[in-house]
Amino acid sequence: MRWIVCFQKPNQVGFWWFSTILSPKFKHCFIVKYCEVSDTWNLMEFHTGGFRFVSKKDENADFLISNLIQNATCISYQSKRARHKIPNFVWPWLYCVSFCKHVIGIKKWWVITPDQLHCELLKNGGEEIFKLEEDLSEQSGKEAYGNVVMES
């Protein structure tokens, strides 16, 4: 199963801030998947505000993809295994990396930050398809992806 795993450096501050101090390149990740049956692009993410599932079709899907190109570094990743039946969460709470690992089938407990997940996917055959400029979100003055696309 092919997934697009997206990474961002949003300006929001949450309880996870301490885990990104030593690896500040990315601070959030989420997943996007194309569904051929319904001809939709589906975004799935977990963050401090809760779980979000967004399904977009036609011109709304074009808007979603253009936002990914502008606001995220994305890796196309072919999952090598099915999802685990038992969640592999390192911390006692769910957060963006544990959610992504669970859905795409990464079962490495030491991968806990978005930077570590990014490196792990590249090591295992993932291919960067969009690359975010280092300070794009600061230059544009916008929050990265979440607040832009979720509104429609």
Side-chain angles (χ1 to χ4, degrees):
M1 195 175 286
R2 183 153 300 277
W3 298 93
I4 298 174
V5 184
C6 306
F7 298 89
Q8 295 181 318
K9 187 177 180 178
N11 296 327
Q12 298 102 332
V13 177
F15 70 87
W16 69 89
W17 67 269
F18 62 89
S19 70
T20 60
I21 290 172
L22 298 176
S23 53
K25 187 174 180 184
F26 302 112
K27 293 187 178 186
H28 183 59
C29 58
F30 55 93
I31 301 170
V32 175
K33 174 117 180 80
Y34 176 71
C35 178
E36 293 177 9
V37 175
S38 61
D39 188 31
T40 57
W41 284 91
N42 302 299
L43 178 139
M44 298 165 269
E45 77 175 316
F46 191 88
H47 55 79
T48 53
F51 176 76
R52 286 195 191 214
F53 179 83
V54 177
S55 186
K56 299 289 184 180
K57 192 173 190 167
D58 302 325
E59 63 276 347
N60 290 327
D62 295 341
F63 183 67
L64 172 89
I65 299 303
S66 72
N67 270 285
L68 293 178
I69 293 169
Q70 295 172 13
N71 298 316
T73 293
C74 298
I75 294 178
S76 175
Y77 178 73
Q78 180 68 39
S79 183
K80 294 171 179 51
R81 61 168 51 167
R83 275 185 301 200
H84 334 293
K85 293 180 180 174
I86 300 171
N88 184 27
F89 305 137
V90 175
W91 295 336
W93 56 80
L94 182 63
Y95 66 110
C96 65
V97 175
S98 63
F99 171 74
C100 290
K101 286 180 1 181
H102 179 70
V103 172
I104 64 177
I106 300 286
K107 196 171 176 155
K108 296 191 174 170
W109 62 267
W110 60 88
V111 175
I112 59 171
T113 68
D115 281 343
Q116 290 171 327
L117 181 59
H118 181 263
C119 290
E120 186 63 31
L121 293 175
L122 291 176
K123 283 183 206 172
N124 287 297
E127 177 186 350
E128 267 187 359
I129 55 174
F130 310 134
K131 188 167 175 87
L132 178 64
E133 294 293 324
E134 193 68 30
D135 56 349
L136 181 64
S137 62
E138 288 92 11
Q139 287 177 3
S140 67
K142 297 183 210 173
E143 292 295 320
Y145 185 75
N147 294 338
V148 176
V149 174
M150 298 307 163
E151 290 177 2
S152 56

